[in-house]
Amino acid sequence: MATTDKTASSTIDETKLKAQLKQLQFVVNVAVIQDGKLVYQQPYGQDPQKNTKTATTKYQIGALQNTLTAAVMQLVKEGKLDLTTPVSKYYLLDNADASVTVGSLLEMTSGLTLDVLPASELNKDVIAWNLANATVTTTGQYNFQTVNYALLSGIIAQASGVSYQKFIKDTLLQPAWVKHTGFVTSAAVQSKLAPSFTYDKASDSASAVTQDTLFQTMNDQLGSKQLYTTASDMAQLTHYITSSSFVGEKYMHQGAIAKEGTAYTGRLTIDGSRLVSRADFAGYHNALAFTEDGKTGVVLLSNYQKDGSLSDTAKAILKLVQKSD
């Protein structure tokens, strides 16, 4: 196990932090930001294959990427996009009327559903597959469907005039100064990430997630546009998204942050005095908890989880961090 990498002074009680993780047998990379500065990053625990982890071990983040896709609000701020615009301006969908808007994609209330399993080969054009297989049910009712954010990625490309990948790089990755985040474009890229595992409680055994299963899950979301990152990069990205340097409070609360009590979309959600998000993705389990101003927070990225709530653990560690401020 790597030694702790501290990039700024910290008074975090590491004994209590590790006790939180040990209690629920988590295997994670932890990153902590205090007052906008990365102060703690460390791998904790061992996965079933005892893979070596460092502070820069990379993970897939699943629906946590929805928080980053909400960078669509930059286009809204610039007047290049309107949340009330019907999706039909960008894509033709059978039975979709003007109530299926860009904003309804953000809120998962578009009525779009997918009941077809994608292929297990990594899809380079996941939008075309979504358009070919999506159906429209009742608009205005919440239904978590990955097709919503897949189409948002395509709308971002059309409204910005550049690819989704370039837009995310230019709008988020470069301004946030992250160095270990990118797109899973191939099996070769995936092989450099922490492998993921599932746990069967009945037999108390672990199984490695196969590439076919992983790619099928990716295709159900963003395919080769799926991001990988490190815990510290995710912490820096979350801090940047919630700062005044991004889109400002008005647009941030319109799209990047969901209101308290809002159904799960993968975006940052107000939870009391915190901002939280979580994602479970083909054996990867990820969670974060930040203060409302985004200046202090915790990111946990895991490739193996036996039991418990990673989200609750992130919140508990945030309390420890706040006490040490």
Side-chain angles (χ1 to χ4, degrees):
M1 184 179 296
T3 56
T4 303
D5 179 4
K6 294 183 180 180
T7 57
S9 60
S10 171
T11 56
I12 297 171
D13 189 326
E14 294 184 34
T15 300
K16 289 184 178 179
L17 186 155
K18 291 178 180 179
Q20 289 284 346
L21 298 171
K22 183 177 180 180
Q23 182 180 1
L24 296 173
Q25 303 182 68
F26 289 127
V27 178
V28 298
N29 265 62
V30 186
V32 176
I33 277 183
Q34 281 182 312
D35 197 24
K37 297 179 180 179
L38 182 67
V39 297
Y40 185 93
Q41 52 180 333
Q42 182 176 359
Y44 178 87
Q46 289 187 322
D47 62 40
Q49 291 180 353
K50 294 181 170 43
N51 290 288
T52 300
K53 293 186 176 69
T54 68
T56 57
T57 295
K58 303 172 182 67
Y59 299 79
Q60 285 219 45
I61 59 173
L64 279 191
Q65 188 166 338
N66 291 2
T67 296
L68 307 183
T69 302
V72 68
M73 297 310 297
Q74 180 68 49
L75 298 172
V76 175
K77 180 181 180 181
E78 294 171 357
K80 296 178 180 179
L81 188 65
D82 192 316
L83 295 183
T84 64
T85 299
V87 173
S88 59
K89 177 180 178 179
Y90 303 96
Y91 296 113
L92 293 179
L93 291 159
D94 290 342
N95 301 320
D97 59 23
S99 65
V100 181
T101 64
V102 175
S104 71
L105 298 179
L106 272 171
E107 302 292 342
M108 298 280 185
T109 57
S110 67
L112 292 173
T113 64
L114 276 172
D115 296 320
V116 181
L117 284 176
S120 57
E121 293 182 5
L122 189 58
N123 192 342
K124 301 294 183 180
D125 192 359
V126 73
I127 293 176
W129 181 85
N130 275 270
L131 291 173
N133 292 284
T135 58
V136 182
T137 55
T138 305
T139 305
Q141 294 183 6
Y142 167 79
N143 184 15
F144 184 92
Q145 293 282 328
T146 56
V147 59
N148 290 284
Y149 278 76
L151 293 189
L152 268 179
S153 71
I155 290 171
I156 283 173
Q158 291 188 51
S160 67
V162 299
S163 70
Y164 170 78
Q165 291 95 325
K166 180 170 174 52
F167 179 81
I168 292 296
K169 287 178 182 177
D170 293 348
T171 305
L172 289 177
L173 306 188
Q174 291 179 358
W177 293 94
V178 296
K179 299 179 180 179
H180 307 288
T181 302
F183 296 90
V184 184
T185 55
S186 65
V189 174
Q190 176 61 38
S191 68
K192 297 178 182 179
L193 313 184
S196 60
F197 302 85
T198 57
Y199 173 71
D200 181 71
K201 190 172 184 179
S203 61
D204 189 27
S205 62
S207 300
V209 175
T210 66
Q211 180 177 289
D212 283 355
T213 298
L214 182 61
F215 283 179
Q216 187 175 58
T217 308
M218 288 172 63
N219 289 339
D220 197 38
Q221 298 196 15
L222 287 163
S224 59
K225 297 176 184 177
Q226 192 74 38
L227 277 166
Y228 65 79
T229 192
T230 64
S232 56
D233 271 15
M234 192 67 208
Q236 288 175 239
L237 283 165
T238 305
H239 171 57
Y240 178 71
I241 287 171
T242 54
S243 71
S244 58
S245 300
F246 183 43
V247 293
E249 187 173 351
K250 173 186 174 182
Y251 295 99
M252 180 168 53
H253 283 273
Q254 269 190 307
I257 296 177
K259 296 178 182 178
E260 188 163 16
T262 300
Y264 174 77
T265 62
R267 292 178 294 161
L268 294 171
T269 302
I270 297 174
D271 176 39
S273 60
R274 299 170 297 221
L275 296 174
V276 299
S277 189
R278 60 176 176 79
D280 297 296
F281 178 81
Y284 292 106
H285 305 277
N286 311 308
L288 57 83
F290 274 67
T291 54
E292 272 191 293
D293 60 10
K295 293 182 178 180
T296 297
V298 176
V299 171
L300 303 176
L301 302 184
S302 172
N303 65 330
Y304 180 59
Q305 178 180 334
K306 278 192 171 184
D307 198 9
S309 167
L310 199 64
S311 182
D312 287 346
T313 301
K315 295 174 189 177
I317 294 175
L318 177 61
K319 287 184 178 180
L320 290 177
V321 173
Q322 289 178 290
K323 286 180 180 178
S324 67
D325 282 344

